[in-house]
Amino acid sequence: MSGSTLYDKIWDAHVVAERDDGMTLLYIDRHLLHEVTSPQAFDGLRAAARPPWRLGANLATPDHNVPTSPAERAAGVAGIADATSRLQVQTLDANCEDFGIEEFAINDPRQGIVHVVGPEQGATLPGMTIVCGDSHTSTHGAFAALAQGIGTSEVEHVLATQCLALRKSRNMRIFLDGALPAGVFSKDLALAVIGAVGTAGGTGHVIEFAGEAIRALSMEGRMTVCNLAVEAGARAGLVAVDDVTLNYVSGRPLAPSGAAWDAAQASWRGLRSDADAVFDKEARLDADSIAPQVTWGTSPEMVADIGATVPNPDDADGAVRANAVAAALQYMDLKAGQRLAGTPIDKVFIGSCTNARIEDLRVAAAIARGGRARAKTLVVPGSGLVKRQAEAEGLHEIFLAAGFEWREPGCSMCLGMNDDRLQAGERCASTSNRNFEGRQGHGGRTHLVSPATAAASALAGCLADPREQL
Amino acid sequence: MEAFVTHRGLAAPLDRANVDTDQIIPKQFLKAIGRTGFGDNLFDAWRYLDEGAIGKTPNERELNPNFVLNAPRYQGASVLLARDNFGCGSSREHAVWALMEHGFRCVVAPSFADIFLTNSFNNGLLPITLPGDMVDDLFARVAAGELWLTVDLRAQSIQADSGETWAFSIDGQLRQRLLRGLDDIGLTLAHADAIRAFERRRRAEAPWVFAT
Ligand code: SF4
């Protein structure tokens, strides 16, 4: 018999029962909540008079709707100008209070984007099953945790039963060989993977990222890669445990310590695929040949090297694809054959659960240092703790000196549920994860890039290759 | 959950691949804290020419005459024909709520995004996966004239009024749940003892999981 994959191992360790309807009940170790996808789930619990199964499994923080301007934040929840946003954040506060769920509320220094907060607190630990009503829960897979996004009915299901009724996905592995060149980052690697396998390439699968280039990444870099696994269609991404993982986890507030740490570490070391494990699907990419990436269309798979030109719909494979390319170019106001680098931009967004960790801000600051923004640029740290760390390192001063705006933590312009959004027709270089039509604001045009490319583009006022500024 | 047994409805085409949940229900409408009120904003950026806002009713909006679902012939449609990877992107269940509130009971496509599929089953919206050539055939028929389809979940078939049928398959147990409209949480709570037993075991093996 062949060995087990990392996914098989975590799955097997969490099977509670097979339900009569053929679904597997998988035990959920950690449940993260935010204000947008939870209110209807709490209502459901109340209506059925069901208590949460295990309170301690849950951790909540508002992120999608919170304003990021220091002035608006100063007054806390009451200061949220948009009444519907305010109500949603208040509803989360009230639900957490009613049910006794721990919440990092709006101006708690630990508040932030839920996928930044979990790892930072050690709420995300190797070998765990983790869910959240948000598709980018895949981020936590960087810790060899089986982490996936769920819908609101499932949020209620997990609250009430601590289980999720699932069918097992298939196993996929993507090898990233070699080493990333200077000026090329984990975001570029992830976008290149999506470009290669497509946005449906991982559908029905859990993707394990392996190979030299992955091992060489920091935890921040691995989180960026797993964050984008969902944009490749997979429900979850995974990276095996190694010293990098353990060093990151060690000492986090919710991580085990002392004798418990020794036991945990011994158990976590086994969180890797067996050498003879068989995968249903495999792909391989060479990291050495990856250049800074920039999306040109309205789906993350519509991506190219920063030095490339915009593709021609006539060259697309089949009519459906050609139509999609043509529609994307029209929406993005780009012409086939036009060079991507040099395309003027109106705004730059450095933030989101993809790229708002301390390492991302350090890279952006290294490029911003001494320069001057030629486009309105927002830097939004992923959490209050990231913000503090950045300020301790003086990064905010570099940003401010370069004319970038330094904001309070939240999702911000990743999806524009608060005031940070694009106006119709505006073009943005963004470190977020989705370039869908209207994602950053009605009629807004998004180019997904790495923090380095975003900072370089901010200084240039147009899409720019960061390697020229390093 | 709403049960699904049979449904006869008018088909409408949405000829785009990778329709994402941001398109199905844009984020500015996710601020509601209830499960209703999303139908008017289904496909908002495509359906209307002006920008929507919570509380703005359809009569105050400017319809986009070029959006296919606004065509008079598709009014009242309840079976949506779609392309590959329908429902990709965000996990928002609001997308399913919006489709259902607008009147859709069934979406037919060559493939669906995973989370969207689960959300659909959890609400009684039937996602039917058919091979690409069959979906092409349905698109051709809907373009040729009014297409009424009868979806029979028990028989796992779609039948046009003209008599043609297309067979589909939904996993047996999932089908039973939909047919009977069973409460998913109730099904799981029937295993409460097994969950408790599992927790005791896991607590012994991985106590750090239970430290909070
Ligand atoms: S930062 Fe963006 S992608 Fe991440 S959780 Fe927030 S809205 Fe979702």
Side-chain angles (χ1 to χ4, degrees):
Chain A
M1 217 188 89
S2 57
S4 304
T5 65
L6 171 55
Y7 172 49
D8 295 338
K9 291 182 187 182
I10 306 178
W11 174 275
D12 291 346
H14 289 85
V15 172
V16 170
E18 302 293 333
R19 242 171 36 176
D20 288 345
D21 65 352
M23 305 291 273
T24 300
L25 282 188
L26 206 69
Y27 189 77
I28 301 303
D29 294 322
R30 178 75 64 207
H31 183 203
L32 304 168
L33 297 110
H34 63 87
E35 77 279 19
V36 180
T37 55
S38 65
Q40 299 87 351
F42 283 114
D43 280 352
L45 284 190
R46 273 193 203 94
R50 287 174 173 141
W53 182 276
R54 180 164 68 85
L55 278 177
N58 303 288
L59 179 62
T61 192
D63 54 6
H64 286 64
N65 273 286
V66 297
T68 64
S69 77
E72 204 175 337
R73 272 295 264 279
V77 188
I80 303 179
D82 180 308
T84 50
S85 287
R86 188 169 63 239
L87 178 62
Q88 211 168 44
V89 175
Q90 284 168 334
T91 304
L92 179 68
D93 291 353
N95 281 326
C96 288
E97 166 98 38
D98 277 9
F99 286 95
I101 286 172
E102 171 143 39
E103 184 198 9
F104 297 160
I106 185 163
N107 283 343
D108 186 308
R110 298 164 299 176
Q111 175 270 342
I113 305 171
V114 69
H115 309 309
V116 175
V117 168
E120 187 170 77
Q121 290 297 320
T124 299
L125 293 173
M128 276 185 165
T129 43
I130 302 176
V131 296
C132 172
D134 186 281
S135 55
H136 292 100
T137 308
S138 61
T139 311
H140 310 261
F143 292 81
L146 179 58
Q148 64 177 56
I150 55 178
T152 299
S153 294
E154 292 173 305
V155 169
E156 184 181 338
H157 197 280
V158 170
L159 279 167
T161 71
Q162 212 51 51
C163 291
L164 199 57
L166 284 175
R167 240 164 255 276
K168 199 175 171 198
S169 302
R170 288 185 292 275
N171 280 290
M172 178 169 178
R173 178 162 57 186
I174 301 182
F175 274 104
L176 285 313
D177 300 318
L180 288 172
V184 183
F185 298 89
S186 56
K187 177 65 163 288
D188 301 305
L189 184 122
L191 287 172
V193 165
I194 297 166
V197 305
T199 46
T203 303
H205 294 78
V206 165
I207 303 179
E208 179 175 346
F209 296 96
E212 237 178 295
I214 292 292
R215 299 260 74 90
L217 290 177
S218 64
M219 285 316 290
E220 282 88 348
R222 295 176 189 181
M223 283 189 253
T224 302
V225 172
C226 287
N227 176 276
L228 287 161
V230 67
E231 305 309 329
R235 240 186 168 183
L238 283 172
V239 175
V241 166
D242 61 10
D243 288 340
V244 178
T245 325
L246 299 175
N247 289 339
Y248 181 99
V249 171
S250 167
R252 302 269 155 191
L254 299 176
S257 56
W261 170 261
D262 297 337
Q265 173 170 271
S267 142
W268 293 340
R269 290 251 179 223
L271 292 168
R272 53 182 59 254
S273 291
D274 294 334
D276 57 345
V278 177
F279 287 78
D280 301 291
K281 203 169 172 182
E282 288 198 276
R284 209 167 197 121
L285 253 77
D286 198 357
D288 298 286
S289 60
I290 296 174
Q293 300 287 297
V294 53
T295 61
W296 48 265
T298 51
S299 158
E301 70 184 11
M302 295 173 163
V303 65
D305 293 358
I306 183 79
T309 55
V310 175
N312 193 322
D314 299 341
D315 301 336
D317 192 10
V320 172
R321 175 76 188 164
N323 286 343
V325 172
L329 295 192
Q330 188 185 7
Y331 182 85
M332 293 296 291
D333 190 28
L334 293 172
K335 303 248 169 322
Q338 148 182 12
R339 266 169 42 85
L340 283 163
T343 305
I345 51 172
D346 306 292
K347 284 185 177 157
V348 176
F349 172 58
I350 300 174
S352 91
C353 59
T354 314
N355 284 128
R357 299 182 177 81
I358 189 67
E359 187 177 281
D360 301 310
L361 301 187
R362 285 181 190 138
V363 169
I367 289 181
R369 186 187 294 275
R372 190 74 204 158
R374 292 214 206 141
K376 183 180 165 75
T377 301
L378 257 62
V379 186
V380 185
S383 71
L385 295 178
V386 169
K387 181 168 185 258
R388 276 193 186 179
Q389 176 67 28
E391 289 178 349
E393 295 177 20
L395 305 184
H396 65 310
E397 277 157 12
I398 298 174
F399 291 132
L400 290 168
F404 294 14
E405 293 178 29
W406 179 239
R407 297 294 192 96
E408 298 295 321
C411 293
S412 181
M413 212 159 75
C414 173
L415 89 169
M417 270 185 89
N418 64 2
D419 278 343
D420 311 337
R421 60 174 86 116
L422 299 182
Q423 301 304 313
E426 280 186 331
R427 187 180 297 284
C428 178
S430 174
T431 65
S432 55
N433 44 46
R434 286 190 175 135
N435 51 348
F436 299 156
E437 287 182 21
R439 169 78 177 182
Q440 294 190 290
H442 189 80
R445 301 177 175 126
T446 303
H447 294 275
L448 302 178
V449 294
S450 75
T453 304
S457 303
L459 301 187
C462 59
L463 294 175
D465 190 333
R467 293 173 299 190
E468 288 159 15
Q469 296 184 33
L470 279 175
Chain B
M1 182 188 74
E2 214 174 315
F4 191 112
V5 184
T6 59
H7 173 77
R8 178 174 178 277
L10 180 66
L14 187 61
D15 197 357
R16 291 178 80 128
N18 297 312
V19 170
D20 58 77
T21 53
D22 273 271
Q23 246 54 74
I24 300 175
I25 181 84
K27 74 260 157 190
Q28 62 267 38
F29 308 109
L30 304 186
K31 294 181 185 178
I33 53 174
R35 270 178 191 262
T36 53
F38 301 106
D40 288 342
N41 302 108
L42 177 71
F43 299 123
D44 198 273
W46 291 337
R47 243 167 99 196
Y48 304 100
L49 292 172
D50 55 339
E51 192 172 348
I54 289 185
K56 210 163 159 192
T57 63
N59 341 348
E60 301 168 63
R61 310 282 306 274
E62 201 186 333
L63 278 182
N64 174 3
N66 297 322
F67 180 52
V68 59
L69 297 186
N70 284 339
R73 56 187 287 212
Y74 298 127
Q75 296 318 298
S78 58
V79 179
L80 186 66
L81 303 182
R83 294 293 188 183
D84 262 311
N85 202 24
F86 186 82
C88 59
S90 134
S91 63
R92 61 189 70 161
E93 198 157 317
H94 314 65
V96 172
W97 301 335
L99 283 162
M100 292 189 77
E101 199 173 317
H102 188 70
F104 288 109
R105 288 306 318 277
C106 178
V107 185
V108 182
S111 64
F112 291 90
D114 283 343
I115 304 180
F116 180 84
L117 213 52
T118 309
N119 288 343
S120 298
F121 282 117
N122 280 336
N123 287 276
L125 176 74
L126 180 62
I128 297 179
T129 309
L130 286 184
D133 51 344
M134 288 194 200
V135 175
D136 286 344
D137 184 20
L138 286 166
F139 267 98
R141 283 166 194 268
V142 87
E146 200 167 283
L147 181 66
W148 285 82
L149 298 172
T150 302
V151 178
D152 184 339
L153 181 56
R154 240 184 241 125
Q156 297 180 86
S157 71
I158 303 178
Q159 182 163 38
D161 280 3
S162 53
E164 289 89 349
T165 62
W166 296 265
F168 63 88
S169 135
I170 302 275
D171 176 282
Q173 307 297 339
L174 215 47
R175 193 168 72 235
Q176 287 309 317
R177 212 178 95 210
L178 262 184
L179 283 170
R180 290 191 266 158
L182 294 177
D183 166 27
D184 201 35
I185 295 178
L187 291 181
T188 295
L189 285 175
H191 296 272
D193 290 343
I195 303 173
R196 277 188 210 102
F198 178 90
E199 267 180 339
R200 278 193 294 276
R201 216 167 61 228
R202 180 122 180 99
R203 199 182 280 273
E205 282 166 9
W208 51 88
V209 168
F210 297 83
T212 48

